[in-house]
Amino acid sequence: MDSQSQQDPTFRTPLCYTRLTAAEALKQLRQQGVAEEALPAPSTMALVLNRNGYRLRP
């Protein structure tokens, strides 16, 4: 995700904005060979990304 994210341009928050959705992140993990059983649901992946400070770019 770090290669697809950027810092808030105002530097007022520690949030990173990303161009990837949770579904796209899951798709890329599948392409890297991560087992389907090890992947969370898209809604859970979105929560994990948000908890780690990633937000979709407005």
Side-chain angles (χ1 to χ4, degrees), residues 31-53:
Q31 289 175 349
Q32 291 179 5
V34 176
E36 191 68 34
E37 301 83 35
L39 294 174
S43 59
T44 304
M45 181 61 125
L47 289 173
V48 169
L49 293 173
N50 287 337
R51 186 173 51 221
N52 285 313

Side-chain angles (χ1 to χ4, degrees), residues 7-48:
Q7 181 65 35
D8 178 16
T10 62
F11 296 103
R12 292 182 186 163
T13 67
L15 295 178
C16 290
Y17 291 99
T18 184
R19 297 181 295 251
L20 292 178
T21 63
E24 180 64 25
L26 288 169
K27 178 181 166 188
Q28 289 187 15
L29 286 171
R30 283 185 196 99
Q31 289 175 349
Q32 291 179 5
V34 176
E36 191 68 34
E37 301 83 35
L39 294 174
S43 59
T44 304
M45 181 61 125
L47 289 173
V48 169

Side-chain angles (χ1 to χ4, degrees), residues 2 6 21 35-36 55:
D2 287 334
Q6 66 184 41
T21 63
E36 191 68 34
R55 302 285 189 270

